[in-house]
Amino acid sequence: MSGKKAFLEGRIKVPYKWYAGETGSRFLSALRDGCELWGTRCPGCGRVYVPAAKNCWECFRPADEWVQVSDTGTVESFTIARRPDEMFGLAPPVVYGLIRLGGAGGSLLHIIGGVNPDDVRVGMQVKAVYAEKRSGRILDIKYFAPLGE
Amino acid sequence: MKMEEVAVVGAGQTVFGFDRKETFEELVFEAATAALSDAGGSIGDIDNIVTVSNDFWDGRTISSMSVMSAAGSWNKDISTVEGDGMFGAVYGMMRTLSGSFDATLVVAHVKGSEGRMNLITNGMFDPIYQRPLGIDATISAALQARCYMERTGAGEEDFARVSVKNHGNGLRNPHAHLGMEITIDDVMRSRKISDPLKLYDCSPVSDGAAAIVLSNRRGLKRFRQKPAWIRGAAYCSDSYTLGYRDLADPRALRAAAQKAYRMAGIANPLKELDAAEVYDAYSYMELMWYEGLGLAAEGKGAELLRSGATETGGELPVNPSGGTLSAHPVLVAGLVRLIEAVLQVRGDAGRRQVPGAKRALAHGINGPCGQCHAVMIVEA
Ligand SMILES: [Zn+2]
C-alpha cells in the first residue's frame, strides 16, 4: 500500500483588536491629528521613548514626561528587503530603516521611501512623509524620505 | 556558585530536512525514543518531561498538549517551554536539580515546512508599531548585520566565510539539512534576500526533532550511557524593542557566558574549550557571538574567523556540526547545539568529531535578533 502524501491546506484567521494603551493612544492620536511625533522621557535615565512608552524597562519605573520629537532623523541601519511576505501588499524591494529621530533616545523602525534603494546610506538624514488619510496607525507615516538638498 | 551535579545521559536527533514524511508527533516520538535508547534506558526511567513547542509554527493552540503522548508523558509530570530548545534544556536541568525528579526528558520539534516563516516570525513583533510594516526574522537580522558592520568594519565577505566554513562542516554531519562545498564567491553571488544578507547567509527552514535525557547523580544508575556533566549554565535577556536595543552589542550573551564560565571555572574560553556550538541563524551572527562569548575581543569576530582558530582543526572549532546554517529546525536548533556538544565530549561525533574534546560549549537564542541567550558548558 503506497500513496501520495496527503495535505490539508488551511489558514488560521482570528480577528484581534489590540489596544495601544493610554500612552500609545495619545501617541497615535497626535500622529493622526497633527502629524506630530511625541515621546515620553524617563526621569531616571533621561531616555526618550518613541513611540511613547508608559514605562522605562531599563529603570523599571514610569516614563511619564511627554516631549515632542523631531520628525527628521538619521538612518542608523537599513536593509533592502527583496521579497517581504506578499500578504503585506508591499511593492518590493522595500527599504526598512532604524531611524534615530532628533531628541529620541533610541531609533524607530520604519520604511524608507522616495529614494532609489541603492542610494540609501547609514547616516543619511530622512524626514517623515505622512499619509493623506490617517487613521491612528504607525503607517500614518507613509515612510521616511531623504531630506531634500 | 558551583553547580549541583546534573548530566546529559542521552541524546537523540532526527535527520533534519525540508518536507520530512513524518508528522510532528511522529518526529517527537522518533527523537524521544532515540534519546532513551542512547541513554540505555526506557520511558519508565523518566520522572518528568519538558516539551518545547510554539503554537504559530504548529498552527495549533496549546500545541504542547498534542505532543504529550508522543513524548511518552502518560501518567507523568509534563511542562512546556515556548521558545528555543536550549531554554527547554535549562528548564529540564532546573527540574532535575529541584530534587523532585531524578531524570528528565526534554523534547523539541518543528515542521517548518508546514507554515510560512516570514508570517510566523512577523508575529513575534509588536502588533501596533512594527508588525504592520511587514518585518520578519530575516529583515530584522539584516538590520542587525548592518549595525554590526558599522560598528566593527566587518564586511559581507567575512559573513560569507562563516557560511563556507559551516556548510562545509555540515557535509560531515549525517543529520544536517544543507551541507555544501561552496566558496566565498558562491555566497557573494547568491540571491539577495535582504541586504546585506544573501541566500547562503541565511539558514534553511528545516523539519525535525531532538531530545535529551537529563539525570542527577541519584538517577544515574538507571542509565548506561556515560554522562556529559553540565558544569555551567546561564541565560540572560535584552530589550525586546528593536531600536531600543544596541543590536551590535551582544551584552546579554556576554552576561550569560561570563556567568556560565564562572560556574565552570573557565578563565580563557578560547583556550579552555575544545568545541563550541553556537546559534548561527544567519552567517554574521557567528561573528557577533564570538565577541559575546568572549572568544574574540570586541569588534574582532571577523579577525578570529580569518585566523582559522574556529575552523575544523583550529584552536577552538566552532560549529563542527555545520551549525544552524546547515540545519535550522526553529525551536529544536538550540537543543541540537547542546546535543552536538555532548556528542563531542563523549567522543561520539563521528566524522565531525574534534579529536580529544573534553569540554564543549552550547549556545541558544530566543526572540528577534538574539534578544535572549542561553549558554551551557558540558564536560565528559
Ligand atoms: Zn529609564
Side-chain angles (χ1 to χ4, degrees), chain B residues 32-51:
Chain B
T33 48
L36 288 166
S37 132
D38 180 65
S42 69
I43 194 68
D45 297 316
I46 298 297
D47 302 321
N48 83 114
I49 294 168
V50 173
T51 58

Side-chain angles (χ1 to χ4, degrees), chain A residues 47-48 50 69-77 97-109 124-126 144, chain B residues 243-246:
Chain A
R47 185 174 311 164
V48 174
V50 188
V69 296
S70 167
D71 66 356
T72 298
T74 309
V75 174
E76 291 206 320
S77 184
L98 286 170
I99 298 147
R100 174 73 77 117
L101 299 172
S107 44
L108 180 73
L109 175 72
M124 186 180 240
Q125 294 293 110
V126 292
F144 283 82
Chain B
Y244 279 80
R245 165 172 24 135
D246 183 347

Side-chain angles (χ1 to χ4, degrees), chain B residues 172-174 340 343-354:
Chain B
R172 289 189 300 277
N173 179 357
E340 288 293 330
L343 295 177
Q344 288 292 344
V345 298
R346 273 170 31 185
D348 289 337
R351 289 176 59 219
R352 57 197 188 283
Q353 179 67 46
V354 176

Side-chain angles (χ1 to χ4, degrees), chain A residues 5 7 12 18-20 24 27-28 47-52 58 77-88 90 96-98 104-107 109-111 122 138-139, chain B residues 19-21 55 59-60 116 118-119 122 127-136 139-140 142-144 146-147 150 191-196 238-239 241-244 247 251:
Chain A
K5 288 186 188 171
F7 293 96
I12 297 177
W18 289 295
Y19 176 44
F27 170 83
L28 291 169
R47 185 174 311 164
V48 174
Y49 287 90
V50 188
E58 292 272 328
S77 184
F78 70 94
T79 179
I80 308 169
R82 304 289 161 167
R83 233 172 43 186
D85 199 279
E86 60 204 41
M87 199 194 81
F88 296 98
L90 302 158
Y96 290 91
L98 286 170
S107 44
L109 175 72
H110 217 289
I111 291 167
V122 169
I138 194 65
L139 282 167
Chain B
D19 228 0
R20 285 274 320 230
K21 68 179 195 301
D55 294 359
R60 206 183 286 197
R116 213 150 94 198
N118 309 79
L119 286 181
N122 175 263
I128 293 171
Y129 302 114
Q130 299 197 324
R131 229 192 270 176
L133 304 171
I135 187 169
D136 59 32
I139 293 169
S140 57
L143 290 167
Q144 183 175 42
R146 175 111 43 209
C147 289
E150 288 292 317
R191 181 162 58 83
K192 289 180 174 180
I193 302 286
S194 197
D195 311 33
D238 205 331
S239 157
T241 309
L242 290 187
Y244 279 80
L247 288 178
R251 62 175 183 165

Side-chain angles (χ1 to χ4, degrees), chain A residues 42 45 56 59:
Chain A
C42 167
C45 60
C56 173
C59 302

